[in-house]
């Protein structure tokens, strides 16, 4: 069987971090969020499906870091 390549991202939310902060994956490094850079690299390497686990307050921002036509589930 030939299964599509998949990737899972876990964005931990630490209660010790101030309320205005974001998970590390959503922080910009060299003007680009880490999640956006990683998703672009994985798409280029043939990954076809993504599953993102994060707090509901970051769900929309997490989804925005993937191309609109990408197969992404945010939970």
């Amino acid at each position: 069987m030939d299964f599509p390549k998949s990737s899972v991202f876990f964005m931990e939310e630490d209660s010790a971090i101030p309320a205005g902060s974001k998970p590390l994956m959503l922080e910009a490094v060299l003007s680009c969020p880490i999640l956006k850079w990683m998703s672009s690299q994985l798409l280029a390497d043939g990954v076809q499906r993504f599953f993102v686990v994060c707090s509901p307050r970051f769900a929309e921002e997490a989804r925005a870091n993937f191309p609109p036509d990408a197969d992404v589930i945010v939970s």
Side-chain angles (χ1 to χ4, degrees):
M1 281 188 185
D2 193 21
F3 295 102
K5 292 182 181 178
S6 301
S7 180
V8 179
F9 293 100
F10 292 95
M11 290 193 282
E12 188 175 327
E13 188 174 356
D14 188 350
S15 60
I17 297 174
S21 297
K22 303 180 200 179
L24 181 59
M25 294 293 285
L26 296 176
E27 292 291 339
V29 174
L30 298 175
S31 75
C32 178
I34 296 169
L35 182 60
K36 186 172 202 117
W37 178 83
M38 287 183 68
S39 65
S40 296
Q41 292 299 312
L42 289 169
L43 281 166
D45 288 339
V47 174
Q48 299 168 335
R49 292 182 181 164
F50 297 92
F51 187 76
V52 180
V53 180
C54 67
S55 169
R57 68 183 181 139
F58 299 115
E60 189 175 317
E61 187 175 357
R63 179 61 180 97
N65 285 284
F66 294 87
D69 60 338
D71 187 3
V72 180
I73 296 174
V74 180
S75 175

